[in-house]
Each structure stands twice: as C-alpha cells, then as structure tokens.
Amino acid sequence: MRAARLIKMVLLLQSRPAMSAAELAAELEVSERTVTRDAQALSEAGVPVYAERGRAGGYRLVGGYRTRLTGLARNEAEALFLSGLPSALREMGLEDAASAARLKVSAALLPSLRDASASAAQRFHLDAPSWYHEPEPPELLPAVADAVWDDRLLRVRYRRGGGRERVGTEVARELAPYGLVLKAGVWYLCARVADDFRVYRIDRFTAVEPAGERFERDEGFDLPGFWEERAAEFARSLLRTEVTVRVSERGARQLAYSGDRAAASAALAKAPPAGPDGWRTVTLPVESLDVAYGQLLSLGPELEVVEPGELRSRFAAAAERLRELYR
C-alpha cells in the first residue's frame, strides 16, 4: 500500500512543477504529516525530492529527474480507453485504475503537453444517464465487470421480465460475459449462453459467482454491432399494434419525439402527401393503445386519432375534460 502511494507521489511531482503538502495530501488521501514522512523516505531512497518553504514553496523534483515507473498495468490501460466515462468507471469499480493510468501517461509526456488531459476534460464530457433519472448503479455490477475484463465464466441468478407469467421468476444460468453496455443510465450485459448471444439487465441479477474457468472469446464478436442490432430488434418487438392518426405539419415534426423515432419516421415516409389543409394521415405502429394514449396526447391539437374507435373515444373524453377545465 505504501509502495503504491510513494510511486504515485513521484509521478505527481514529475507531472507538475511543484505541489504543496496540502495538495499532495488531498491527491494521496493521507495527512500532511504522512506526506512529509513519504518525501523523506523517497529522498533516502535516492529520489531527488526536496521541499521549499514559503508561500510559493512546496515539494519538487530536481530539474530533469525522470522516473521509469510509467508502464501501464493491463487494467490501467483498459480503463484509460474509458476515461471519458467517469460515472461508468466509478460504477464498475475502475476509477482508481483510470486515475493511475492518466497519471502515468501525464508523467511520461513532455512538459509542454502535460496539461493535455486537463484541457481535454474541460472541453468534452459524456453524461450517459438520461434526464430526470437518478442513476442507481447495480450492486453486482463490479463483479460482472471483473468477469468481463477477465473473460471468466459466470454463474448467475436472473429475475425475468417479459410476459405476466414470467415476471419475477428466477432462473439460473452459466454464461460467458462478453461486454457491458450503458444505455440511458441502465447497465446491460451481452453474454453467450451455449451458442446463443443474449442481453441481460444487470439490475435483475440477484446473484453472481465466478465459475472459476475462463472462456475462449469469439474474436469476431462486434459488441457495438451486436447491441445496435438487438436494440433495433427489441424496439420493433414492442410495436404490436397500429393506430391511424391525422397530424398537422407541426404535429408531423413532433411525432418522432412522442414515441419510437424510427417507427415514426418510417410511418411518415410511407404516408400519402398532405391534403389541402396541410394535414397528413399516418398509420403508426405502437406498443399498445394505453402507451399510444400517453405518448400521442402530448401532441394536443396537432394530432387527431382516426382509428381505432376506442382510442379516439379516449382522446375525445380527454378533450372534453380539458374544455371543462379551461372554460
């Protein structure tokens, strides 16, 4: 533990002209007294670190000193490629590895380039969760992430979703975890079960245990391509019914934001041209009439339901209630 801290202290001092005891203590998560003892230990070990007193003082390395302790460990190198996803790294338990990797890269750069990481971080940030969503990382995510990085088989218990007869039932599986996907704040595992690739929501895992042995990864597996295909397939599978609507020009523009964007775009592309009043008749695939009611009601007077009659009646009743409210 102390050895790792001493190495980190050297790398910090190598990447910056000088650091105060307070700054080092904050970075190393120790007291200033411990920083003083560590600096003394480094000096006794031959590392030319010295302290300057005064307001502009601090700890420094003798000019030109370079340590060779900049080689990245495998987990640090892997984490470095995810360094633009701070929340994801934290949830997978890789925050420390990424921090160490960035520090080693910074220490290895020329002095004129050492602010590159800070410069990039100030100009780009990826916020993965959706709006109005408080992310709750699954408790078992770090264990799953370890198995993914290590190509190690997992024995899991999984709480099913889907149809009413399946919801809440648990199944046991042994699977080969290929990759993790973070979609709108929800974590998914893409895994091979026997000869089939499947997708699991990690927050539905109730137990995770490494099986011990590693699996042989199919090098032809393309995680982004697989996810894109399955996501599109899943979205299409939800659209089990159709409704016919009339939309104004403005309503046609808003239609893509009220439900499945791809389905709305395809429906509009197939729809006949607008009539003299500027309205178009569109046959729109939807998940259910209840879902369609909630989604399409947001378009207000820019949309009229034509069929089915059941949904049209619900919209007419809603319009009547609104008329009473605003009379």
Side-chain angles (χ1 to χ4, degrees):
M1 183 69 177
R2 190 191 186 200
R5 190 174 72 242
L6 292 174
I7 291 172
K8 185 174 182 179
M9 184 174 179
V10 174
L11 292 173
L12 283 168
L13 293 174
Q14 184 172 309
S15 63
R16 306 180 194 181
M19 294 184 70
S20 69
E23 290 172 334
L24 283 168
E27 289 280 358
L28 300 173
E29 298 180 348
V30 295
S31 67
E32 293 186 31
R33 181 169 298 188
T34 299
V35 168
T36 301
R37 288 198 297 264
D38 285 352
Q40 181 64 31
L42 287 171
S43 180
E44 292 173 355
V47 177
V49 57
Y50 67 99
E52 287 185 344
R53 299 186 180 277
R55 180 174 298 179
Y59 289 92
R60 303 173 183 271
L61 291 174
V62 172
Y65 178 81
R66 307 287 296 173
T67 176
R68 296 183 179 273
L69 298 173
T70 53
L72 294 178
R74 181 176 182 83
N75 68 324
E76 294 170 348
E78 290 169 337
L80 187 61
F81 287 99
L82 295 171
S83 57
L85 298 166
S87 61
L89 285 166
R90 184 169 56 253
E91 292 172 11
M92 287 190 291
L94 294 173
E95 190 174 26
D96 289 343
S99 176
R102 288 192 296 268
L103 183 57
K104 289 182 179 181
V105 170
S106 179
L109 292 174
L110 293 171
S112 60
L113 299 176
R114 284 178 189 161
D115 66 342
S117 60
S119 176
Q122 290 169 353
R123 288 165 174 78
F124 176 77
H125 173 69
L126 177 61
D127 185 10
S130 60
W131 287 105
Y132 314 117
H133 175 79
E134 185 66 29
E136 295 182 6
E139 182 180 347
L140 298 175
L141 175 60
V144 176
D146 285 345
V148 170
W149 290 118
D150 207 24
D151 291 343
R152 194 171 295 277
L153 292 171
L154 280 178
R155 294 190 187 96
V156 304
R157 293 195 64 81
Y158 184 77
R159 188 177 65 254
R160 279 177 160 174
R164 292 181 181 176
E165 70 281 359
R166 299 175 58 189
V167 172
T169 60
E170 285 193 3
V171 294
R173 292 280 186 270
E174 180 171 288
L175 47 83
Y178 265 64
L180 292 167
V181 175
L182 178 60
K183 170 71 171 179
V186 179
W187 284 94
Y188 297 87
L189 174 68
C190 300
R192 189 183 69 207
V193 182
D195 294 326
D196 186 27
F197 283 94
R198 303 180 186 178
V199 176
Y200 297 88
R201 275 186 64 143
I202 293 181
D203 58 7
R204 289 185 182 157
F205 285 132
T206 58
V208 171
E209 178 186 1
E213 64 269 25
R214 289 184 170 85
F215 65 90
E216 186 174 345
R217 176 178 286 268
D218 179 359
E219 296 302 329
F221 177 76
D222 174 21
L223 179 60
F226 171 79
W227 175 258
E228 183 178 0
E229 179 183 337
R230 287 301 174 92
E233 181 182 308
F234 175 73
R236 289 193 300 269
S237 72
L238 294 177
L239 306 178
R240 301 184 179 95
T241 189
E242 290 183 340
V243 298
T244 302
V245 300
R246 293 180 68 244
V247 290
S248 66
E249 182 180 347
R250 182 179 180 184
R253 293 195 301 269
Q254 294 176 338
L255 196 59
Y257 302 97
S258 64
D260 185 281
R261 182 172 297 187
S265 298
L268 286 167
K270 294 178 182 177
D277 59 357
W279 286 58
R280 304 176 66 186
T281 300
V282 181
T283 299
L284 183 68
V286 294
E287 184 175 344
S288 68
L289 295 187
D290 285 340
V291 171
Y293 176 76
Q295 293 175 339
L296 300 179
L297 196 62
S298 65
L299 273 69
E302 307 300 331
L303 175 141
E304 176 194 359
V305 175
V306 178
E307 293 180 344
E310 174 189 346
L311 185 61
R312 181 178 175 86
S313 296
R314 291 182 67 180
F315 269 68
E320 182 63 25
R321 292 198 303 272
L322 282 171
R323 189 180 74 85
E324 290 295 327
L325 285 173
Y326 290 97
R327 175 177 294 181

